[in-house]
């Protein structure tokens, strides 16, 4: 485990290295317990670098087994080696010299899943962000770009497949049943993009011809027997490659593209040059084992990693503070891809929901940080919703302000000017300033200031003069270590919806720059006057969720309902309805806390019900709109003094009201949405299933018995329907015979398929109420559970702590104790995963006093532990504040 020195890294301390490493030749003699790594480095002095400086290479838990400098074995006085660094105090004076460094590794014993490790007997690597230094001593920083040649030697029987980055240049047998392969990657790359895979895997092969006519060999390597489950990923890959050519003019650049699926992986997937390594959860899918959500995730992540080839690999980050340069931009690109492959409004609504669910709480709690942080103790802890999702929203805003053509011109210029470089957010913004002639300096605050801005809005209409006056006021709440905020540049898309539902066009607009349907909010306060209107408009704000902000609007329920029915922008329509539902749920929460019963306005309930059979809307959209805000959404909107039990009761009450009113209509639509043809994982099929599954939940609630769900569970012909039915049974009728039978049947059928059993863990981990905790504890003893596998851990414990408010936030604090205990146990073998799990308590301050005290105790009990990893200590200390 990496020890915590308390060191803080700061953006302003960036200094280019005094040395460069233009070439790297690596030899791996693979063995599970004693792998020999020989790194032959060509080192150069950087022109302008300080010639008196020692050369200090990064290490992490390494032992040096040999060192030569310019081919001569180094003497004791020539270097100093510790697990964390190899220092050469007086490197050769020449401009260019070589180092040959030998290290020994034990991949089988590597439980951190960083560096070189084994997963199900397959050797693989994970180097981002700082894993390469667990393999050999190196200048392990993204601005050191090298051309790699990699020789792999391994046992031929257990590792017939030998892969690394780039193209294979050589392969053949060796003595003693071993063999070798040599890979060469002509593109200079940072060490975090290095990868190696060696093992015995099945393969799905295909090819892709690029726009300029080059043929690329594609291969996806998966566990033997699972090849058919990689077909969808392959299809998604080819669609991604085509889309990047058409939309961004970006072609693939090597002769081969390999993807490997592994079962033990800390995150989703990794974009290593020419050799993407994936968590197998994001590769393997068929109708029998995967839900529509799984298919959509696979499509998005395959695309995301592929798109990194240009945004991340060809152009990389100067330092880790610039992480959003590649992640935010690449998320934006994968969002756009999915929007083009599926339904744009439905995709956008899903993005907004995810942003609010994951990024808003981060921005509003103790872990808040800017999209481009200025300081960190452990970079692993900055692979966050803020860097990824908010980072993507910032790129989207640039697109919104500049429009399609200028945005594309900026991207073209970015690729042209910075190909082969390690750059910064300033470089990125500069290309858009250059092509648009705009000043983006105020806009750049989106990268620099943490927190979710708020815009308060009121609209007044004056009949006599035909003017509508819109008052806008922005504010940005303080966040940790940033108490004073500067005013932001907020692109607020809007519409003036006329009485007939058509957008009205004012004759004149004053008070702010308004272009292409976007109000540029740049001052604290704007009074925007729209004149020449023939009727009173209903103002629709932040259309398409143009800016990642909260809106405080003084607006009547009637106007909200009007927008929910008539706004031309489907995202805003959803926002209007969702806002009403949130308000109603919060009011119900307060009544319940005051000992009164929850009640709901019948016109609101009817508005929800009426969506079910509105044929003007696609089924996927209807499914989203019929889904009530989640308990965590309601809690976030309430803001403080949260009692999760009352939130739960409020939501149950509303779902009962909707179910009762809609029962007959829901039954009809449920029947009409049944699949007739063969299963297709496309947007249309997924949309119908999604609508059916939302309705199933309401139908079971309306009937007050499990029968409809039990019936669907019995007859389901795909995992989407089966898992949804099981969820209704377990969540709504936990004590029923039907729920127990469904869980048993599911376990019998999928007991030896880890990815499917994760769904079985998840559904039980999210069972509402205090009984979930003993059940989760009991399941940690299940033969399929393995705490050292991140997917299993996240499915059971992670899901329980983040997606089961009434279970996790049990009033007696037992949920927090389980989290603390698990986090400490996991930290002993996997620091990165432990730290991420610990973020489940990031919103502890918004709980009611009793729970808040217990959550704090749990955090303190973790902090009190002496031997914490740097990752976990950083999270726990920042969370406590
Ligand atoms: N760069 C990866 C992505 O596409 C993220 C990632 C994968 C990662 N594995 C990791 C980051 C391990 C840190 C550590 O988003
Ligand atoms: Zn990424």
């Amino acid at each position: 485990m990496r020890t915590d020195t308390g060191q803080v890294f700061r953006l302003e301390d960036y200094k280019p290295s005094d040395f460069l490493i233009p070439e790297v030749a690596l030899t791996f003699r693979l063995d599970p317990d004693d792998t020999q790594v020989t790194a032959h480095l060509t080192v150069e002095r950087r022109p302008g670098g300080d010639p008196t400086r020692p050369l200090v290479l990064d290490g992490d838990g390494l032992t040096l087994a040999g060192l030569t400098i310019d081919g001569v074995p180094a003497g004791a006085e020539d270097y100093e080696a510790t697990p964390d660094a190899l220092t050469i105090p007086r490197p050769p004076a020449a401009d260019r010299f070589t180092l040959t460094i030998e290290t020994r590794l034990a991949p089988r014993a590597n439980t951190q899943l960083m560096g070189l490790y084994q997963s199900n007997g397959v050797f693989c690597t994970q180097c981002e962000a700082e894993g390469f230094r667990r393999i050999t001593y190196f200048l392990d920083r993204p601005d050191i770009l090298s051309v790699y040649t990699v020789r792999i030697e391994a046992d031929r029987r257990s590792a017939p497949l030998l892969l690394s980055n780039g193209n294979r240049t050589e392969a053949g047998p060796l003595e003693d049943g071993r063999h070798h392969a040599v890979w060469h990657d002509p593109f200079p790359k940072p060490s975090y993009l290095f990868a190696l895979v060696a093992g015995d895997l099945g393969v799905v092969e295909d090819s892709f011809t690029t726009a300029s006519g080059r043929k690329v060999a594609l291969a996806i390597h998966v566990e033997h027997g699972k090849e058919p489950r990689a077909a969808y990923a392959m299809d998604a890959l080819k669609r991604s490659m085509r889309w990047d050519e058409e939309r961004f003019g970006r072609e693939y650049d090597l002769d081969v593209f390999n993807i490997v699926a592994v079962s033990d992986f800390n995150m989703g997937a990794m974009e290593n040059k020419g050799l993407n390594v994936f968590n197998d959860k994001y590769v393997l899918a068929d109708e029998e084992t995967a839900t529509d959500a799984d298919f959509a995730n696979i499509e998005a992540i395959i695309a995301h990693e592929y798109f990194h080839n240009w945004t991340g690999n060809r152009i990389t980050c100067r330092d880790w503070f610039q992480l959003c340069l590649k992640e935010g931009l690449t998320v934006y690109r994968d969002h756009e891809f999915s929007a083009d492959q599926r339904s744009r409004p439905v995709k956008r609504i899903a993005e907004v929901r995810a942003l609010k669910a994951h990024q808003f709480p981060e921005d509003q709690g103790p872990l808040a940080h800017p999209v481009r942080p200025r300081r960190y103790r452990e970079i692993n802890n900055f692979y966050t919703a803020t860097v990824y999702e908010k980072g993507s929203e910032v790129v989207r805003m640039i697109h919104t302000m500049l429009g399609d053509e200028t945005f594309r011109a900026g991207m073209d210029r970015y690729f042209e000017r910075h190909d082969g470089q390690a750059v910064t957010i300033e470089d990125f913004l500069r290309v858009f300033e250059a092509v648009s002639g705009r000043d983006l300096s105020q806009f750049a605050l989106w990268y620099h200031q943490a927190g979710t801005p708020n815009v308060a809005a009121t609209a007044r209409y004056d009949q006599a003069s035909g003017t509508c006056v819109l008052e806008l006021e922005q504010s940005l709440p303080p966040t940790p270590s940033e108490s004073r905020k500067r005013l932001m540049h907020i692109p607020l898309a809007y519409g003036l919806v006329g009485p007939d539902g058509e957008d009205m066009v004012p004759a004149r607009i004053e008070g702010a720059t308004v272009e292409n349907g976007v109000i540029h909010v740049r001052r604290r306060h704007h009074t925007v006057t729209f004149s020449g209107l023939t009727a009173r408009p209903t103002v629709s704000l932040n259309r398409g969720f143009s800016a990642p902000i909260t809106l405080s609007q003084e607006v009547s329920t009637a106007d909200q309902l009007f927008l929910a029915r008539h706004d031309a922008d489907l995202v805003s329509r959803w926002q209007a309805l969702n806002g009403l539902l949130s308000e109603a749920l919060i009011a119900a929460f307060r009544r319940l806390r005051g000992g009164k019963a929850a009640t709901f306005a019948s016109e609101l309930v009817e508005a929800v019900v009426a969506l079910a059979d509105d044929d003007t809307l696609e089924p996927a959209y209807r499914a989203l709109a019929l889904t009530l805000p989640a308990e965590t959404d309601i809690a976030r909107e309430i803001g403080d003094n949260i009692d999760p039990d009352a939130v739960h009761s409020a939501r149950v009450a509303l779902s009962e009201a909707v179910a009762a009113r809609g029962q007959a209509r829901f039954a009809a639509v449920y029947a009409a949405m049944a699949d007739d043809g063969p299963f297709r994982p496309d947007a249309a099929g997924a949309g119908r299933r999604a609508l059916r599954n939302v309705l199933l939940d309401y139908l079971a609630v309306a009937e007050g018995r499990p029968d409809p769900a039990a019936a669907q569970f019995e007859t389901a012909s795909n995992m989407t329907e089966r898992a949804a039915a099981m969820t209704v049974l377990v969540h709504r009728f936990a004590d029923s015979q039907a729920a127990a039978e469904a869980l048993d049947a599911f376990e019998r059928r999928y007991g030896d398929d880890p990815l499917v059993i994760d769904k079985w863990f998840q559904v039980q981990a999210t069972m509402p109420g205090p009984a979930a905790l003993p059940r989760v504890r009991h399941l940690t003893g299940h033969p399929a559970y393995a705490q050292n596998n991140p997917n299993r851990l996240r499915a059971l414990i992670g899901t329980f702590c983040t997606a089961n408010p009434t279970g996790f936030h049990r009033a007696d604090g037992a949920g927090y104790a389980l989290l603390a205990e698990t986090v400490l146990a996991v930290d002993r073998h996997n620091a990165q995963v432990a730290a991420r799990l610990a973020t489940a308590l990031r919103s502890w301050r918004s709980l009611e006093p009793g729970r808040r005290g217990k959550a704090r105790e749990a955090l303190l009990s973790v902090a009190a532990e002496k031997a914490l990893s740097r990752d976990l200590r950083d999270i726990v200390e920042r969370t406590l504040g």
Side-chain angles (χ1 to χ4, degrees):
M1 181 172 76
R2 208 143 43 143
T3 43
D4 183 23
T5 59
Q7 191 182 354
V8 175
F9 297 89
R10 291 188 164 74
L11 171 62
E12 69 260 30
D13 291 344
Y14 173 83
K15 245 173 64 29
S17 167
D18 293 308
F19 299 90
L20 306 173
I21 310 179
E23 277 165 49
V24 177
L26 297 170
T27 300
F28 288 83
R29 296 197 176 85
L30 291 173
D31 178 275
D33 308 304
D34 184 19
T35 290
Q36 182 193 44
V37 182
T38 307
H40 186 72
L41 313 182
T42 304
V43 184
E44 279 180 2
R45 291 182 178 276
R46 184 176 58 83
D50 181 347
T52 67
R53 300 284 301 162
L55 172 58
V56 185
L57 302 179
D58 305 298
D60 178 6
L62 293 177
T63 38
L64 183 71
L67 173 66
T68 68
I69 303 176
D70 278 333
V72 181
E77 66 293 347
D78 295 332
Y79 68 94
E80 193 202 336
T82 69
D84 301 335
L86 171 59
T87 305
I88 300 176
R90 292 167 307 277
D95 288 345
R96 195 180 172 102
F97 57 93
T98 64
L99 298 179
T100 306
I101 301 166
E102 189 189 320
T103 49
R104 299 270 177 164
L105 311 174
R108 200 203 315 253
N110 181 353
T111 58
Q112 302 285 343
L113 313 184
M114 293 295 287
L116 177 66
Y117 66 96
Q118 277 195 303
S119 174
N120 286 340
V122 177
F123 292 96
C124 60
T125 56
Q126 171 57 41
C127 292
E128 185 175 4
E130 297 178 337
F132 193 73
R133 62 184 67 182
R134 293 167 57 81
I135 295 174
T136 190
Y137 292 103
F138 201 72
L139 293 174
D140 192 14
R141 42 186 286 173
D143 60 347
I144 294 293
L145 306 182
S146 323
V147 171
Y148 284 68
T149 306
V150 180
R151 179 185 170 92
I152 310 168
E153 301 180 9
D155 177 58
R156 203 157 146 186
R157 217 172 34 86
S158 59
L161 175 72
L162 305 176
L163 300 174
S164 189
N165 317 91
N167 303 312
R168 201 176 70 174
T169 56
E170 196 186 311
L174 298 170
E175 278 166 24
D176 298 332
R178 291 174 71 83
H179 70 148
H180 81 287
V182 178
W183 289 78
H184 178 75
D185 179 3
F187 293 94
K189 65 170 175 287
S191 51
Y192 81 86
L193 291 174
F194 164 78
L196 170 156
V197 171
D200 187 6
L201 291 167
V203 67
V204 178
E205 292 181 297
D206 208 322
S207 72
F208 179 85
T209 305
T210 68
S212 68
R214 276 188 327 101
K215 193 166 171 183
V216 183
L218 310 177
I220 302 185
H221 307 269
V222 299
E223 204 176 292
H224 284 294
K226 299 207 167 149
E227 295 88 345
R229 285 201 221 174
Y232 184 77
M234 182 61 90
D235 180 57
L237 173 61
K238 290 187 288 181
R239 285 185 280 122
S240 306
M241 295 176 87
R242 190 62 73 212
W243 184 88
D244 211 15
E245 294 182 342
E246 288 168 357
R247 180 70 179 270
F248 283 100
R250 296 296 112 197
E251 265 190 41
Y252 188 62
D253 51 11
L254 289 162
D255 304 335
V256 295
F257 188 67
N258 281 299
I259 290 177
V260 179
V262 300
S263 312
D264 300 84
F265 202 71
N266 283 352
M267 310 259 283
M270 180 64 212
E271 70 265 24
N272 318 296
K273 182 81 190 187
L275 177 52
N276 290 359
V277 178
F278 272 64
N279 185 329
D280 58 2
K281 170 182 165 72
Y282 296 119
V283 173
L284 302 173
D286 60 19
E287 61 189 276
E288 173 65 16
T289 57
T291 62
D292 290 320
D294 294 324
F295 280 100
N297 281 335
I298 289 169
E299 179 178 80
I301 297 176
I302 289 273
H304 178 95
E305 306 309 330
Y306 174 73
F307 296 157
H308 267 314
N309 192 52
W310 275 97
T311 49
N313 301 4
R314 290 286 289 256
I315 304 178
T316 195
C317 303
R318 186 191 73 174
D319 54 65
W320 290 119
F321 296 101
Q322 321 296 328
L323 183 58
C324 62
L325 175 81
K326 73 178 179 81
E327 295 304 347
L329 176 55
T330 305
V331 170
Y332 172 72
R333 278 152 51 70
D334 85 56
H335 282 176
E336 282 297 293
F337 169 72
S338 293
D340 282 350
Q341 303 291 309
R342 293 165 179 252
S343 154
R344 186 163 279 271
V346 167
K347 172 65 181 158
R348 187 65 188 141
I349 293 166
E351 286 160 16
V352 173
R353 287 179 62 153
L355 187 82
K356 289 185 172 178
H358 303 120
Q359 200 278 326
F360 277 25
E362 195 164 85
D363 240 352
Q364 291 159 15
L367 300 180
H369 56 273
V371 172
R372 187 180 69 186
R374 273 181 297 277
R375 44 184 282 148
Y376 62 76
R377 276 166 73 180
E378 172 52 66
I379 189 58
N380 283 335
N381 290 337
F382 285 82
Y383 288 76
T384 59
T386 297
V387 169
Y388 277 67
E389 264 67 40
K390 190 175 178 183
S392 162
E393 294 301 320
V394 177
V395 178
R396 180 175 298 280
M397 287 189 281
I398 297 176
H399 175 267
T400 300
M401 295 190 301
L402 269 53
D404 277 338
E405 259 175 55
T406 311
F407 178 77
R408 171 68 197 267
M411 288 299 297
D412 286 351
R413 185 174 295 215
Y414 178 65
F415 293 125
E416 200 179 299
R417 186 174 289 180
H418 297 297
D419 187 13
Q421 299 178 358
V423 304
T424 63
I425 284 301
E426 283 72 17
D427 295 315
F428 182 67
L429 287 171
R430 203 169 295 126
V431 296
F432 294 105
E433 290 193 320
V435 296
S436 69
R438 281 169 199 257
D439 174 2
L440 296 178
S441 49
Q442 188 185 6
F443 179 81
L445 290 172
W446 282 104
Y447 284 108
H448 308 323
Q449 287 193 147
T452 308
N454 178 266
V455 173
T458 46
R460 273 178 290 113
Y461 177 65
D462 179 51
Q463 176 103 44
S465 59
T467 58
C468 173
V469 178
L470 179 64
E471 304 280 356
L472 297 171
E473 183 160 336
Q474 68 159 301
S475 58
L476 188 49
T479 54
S481 81
E482 283 180 15
S483 48
R484 290 163 58 96
K485 302 282 189 182
R486 292 160 66 193
L487 293 171
M488 309 276 286
H489 178 179
I490 301 170
L492 199 63
Y494 80 103
L496 303 177
V497 186
D500 58 356
E502 296 284 313
D503 277 8
M504 302 200 291
V505 185
R508 251 179 11 165
I509 309 174
E510 287 155 298
T513 308
V514 179
E515 19 166 62
N516 310 318
V518 175
I519 304 171
H520 290 260
V521 177
R522 306 180 74 146
R523 301 198 298 270
R524 181 175 311 284
H525 191 170
H526 289 267
T527 302
V528 188
T529 308
F530 304 95
S531 45
L533 297 168
T534 50
R536 176 183 171 276
T538 308
V539 184
S540 166
L541 286 178
N542 209 21
R543 275 190 164 171
F545 206 67
S546 63
I549 59 167
T550 53
L551 261 184
S552 312
Q553 242 172 315
E554 266 175 48
V555 52
S556 69
T557 303
D559 277 358
Q560 289 262 82
L561 274 173
F562 179 80
L563 290 178
R565 289 203 187 93
H566 301 295
D567 199 318
D569 180 88
L570 282 175
V571 178
S572 293
R573 214 145 134 181
W574 170 80
Q575 286 189 130
L577 181 68
N578 205 251
L580 284 168
L581 291 171
S582 280
E583 284 162 28
L585 286 161
I586 293 169
F589 166 85
R590 300 213 190 283
R591 288 182 63 88
L592 289 166
R593 288 279 276 173
K596 290 184 236 146
T599 54
F600 301 96
S602 62
E603 52 177 353
L604 176 61
V605 175
E606 176 56 28
V608 177
V609 169
L611 284 161
D613 50 12
D614 183 341
D615 291 334
T616 65
L617 299 167
E618 60 185 315
Y621 181 92
R622 289 187 251 165
L624 277 174
L626 280 156
T627 304
L628 302 181
E631 288 166 34
T632 45
D633 295 324
I634 305 162
R636 188 188 61 248
E637 300 274 331
I638 296 170
D640 60 3
N641 218 5
I642 304 300
D643 168 2
D645 293 327
V647 172
H648 178 74
S649 303
R651 190 175 186 274
V652 168
L654 181 53
S655 61
E656 285 169 353
V658 172
R661 187 173 185 112
Q663 189 172 11
R665 282 175 279 174
F666 290 172
V669 179
Y670 178 79
M673 286 292 138
D675 251 338
D676 34 17
F679 179 89
R680 292 169 56 140
D682 60 3
R688 280 199 310 278
R689 286 184 288 275
L691 180 52
R692 238 170 102 79
N693 286 338
V694 177
L695 296 176
L696 175 69
D697 187 51
Y698 283 123
L699 289 172
V701 168
E703 283 190 32
R705 49 196 197 117
D707 302 45
Q712 176 167 319
F713 186 81
E714 283 296 309
T715 58
S717 61
N718 57 69
M719 181 53 74
T720 304
E721 290 172 345
R722 188 172 296 119
M726 179 168 70
T727 303
V728 175
L729 291 171
V730 175
H731 288 186
R732 300 278 189 194
F733 308 95
D735 299 326
S736 69
Q737 181 79 15
E741 281 171 9
L743 284 171
D744 281 350
F746 196 94
E747 184 189 11
R748 275 196 307 279
R749 186 159 173 177
Y750 301 108
D752 50 14
D753 192 324
L755 292 179
V756 187
I757 277 300
D758 282 349
K759 301 183 193 307
W760 186 79
F761 285 138
Q762 272 170 324
V763 72
Q764 297 177 80
T766 45
M767 191 177 90
L773 178 92
R775 188 181 291 231
V776 168
R777 272 204 186 271
H778 178 73
L779 286 171
T780 59
H782 191 276
Y785 183 71
Q787 197 163 67
N788 58 9
N789 177 285
N791 286 354
R792 294 309 85 69
L793 175 75
R794 286 185 285 245
L796 187 60
I797 309 293
T799 303
F800 174 67
C801 299
T802 57
N804 187 348
T806 51
F808 177 57
H809 297 286
R810 256 168 68 134
D812 63 3
Y816 311 143
L818 173 65
L819 176 66
E821 172 189 325
T822 310
V823 157
L824 286 173
V826 174
D827 196 45
R828 279 176 219 122
H829 64 261
N830 190 327
Q832 201 179 344
V833 167
R836 181 153 300 236
L837 184 59
T839 64
L841 272 178
R842 66 185 172 191
S843 300
W844 66 279
R845 275 209 181 78
S846 60
L847 293 162
E848 52 78 24
R851 288 172 171 90
R852 197 190 310 152
K854 297 209 157 62
R856 183 162 174 273
E857 272 170 41
L859 283 163
L860 288 170
S861 77
V862 176
E865 202 67 32
K866 287 213 173 54
L868 289 192
S869 67
R870 176 161 74 187
D871 308 54
L872 182 54
R873 181 158 308 282
D874 172 42
I875 291 292
V876 172
E877 290 185 356
R878 279 194 285 140
T879 302
L880 280 164

